[in-house]
Amino acid sequence: MGYTLNEQLTDITICPRCSAPSAIYRYSISGERSDDGVYIRIVYSMECDICGYSESMRGSMPLSVAYKLRHLFIPRVKIALEKTYLLAEKLEKKA
């Protein structure tokens, strides 16, 4: 039996194209336990209302890899990764 974790993060940032402080970025982090271990999926998107610039990225990786690379993410994403990692450890100890 698996478990899932979903985190939605939205915040305002500075647009890399026009430097307007109105760009909105969104991170969606979801983790799911499977037979091969815990995998997380990270979806990132950013849109600027002023100049129309947008970018998005998505990826899936084992939680252990994402946890080791957590210092590359913004602080709120680091917190979500930490929560996912601690939850996975806790549930693995129960099993």
Side-chain angles (χ1 to χ4, degrees):
M1 184 170 169
Y3 62 86
T4 60
L5 174 79
N6 292 307
E7 290 276 336
Q8 302 287 330
L9 308 171
T10 302
D11 213 343
I12 295 175
T13 189
I14 295 175
C15 176
R17 180 188 284 169
C18 70
S19 299
S22 64
I24 297 173
Y25 71 83
R26 293 176 182 85
Y27 275 94
S28 171
I29 302 169
S30 58
E32 187 167 324
R33 184 173 183 265
S34 68
D35 294 337
D36 297 331
V38 179
Y39 279 80
I40 62 159
R41 193 177 111 191
I42 299 174
V43 178
Y44 162 80
S45 66
M46 197 270 303
E47 301 169 13
C48 179
D49 295 334
I50 305 296
C51 70
Y53 177 78
S54 67
E55 67 181 32
S56 65
M57 295 178 274
R58 64 186 67 209
S60 180
M61 65 186 81
L63 177 60
S64 59
V65 172
Y67 188 74
K68 289 177 184 174
L69 298 175
R70 69 188 180 279
H71 63 280
L72 300 175
F73 298 102
I74 64 170
R76 291 177 66 193
V77 174
K78 286 184 203 179
I79 292 168
L81 287 173
E82 187 73 30
K83 287 194 310 190
T84 306
Y85 188 79
L86 293 173
L87 176 64
E89 274 189 342
K90 185 176 180 179
L91 291 174
E92 288 300 320
K93 287 180 182 178
K94 284 185 177 180

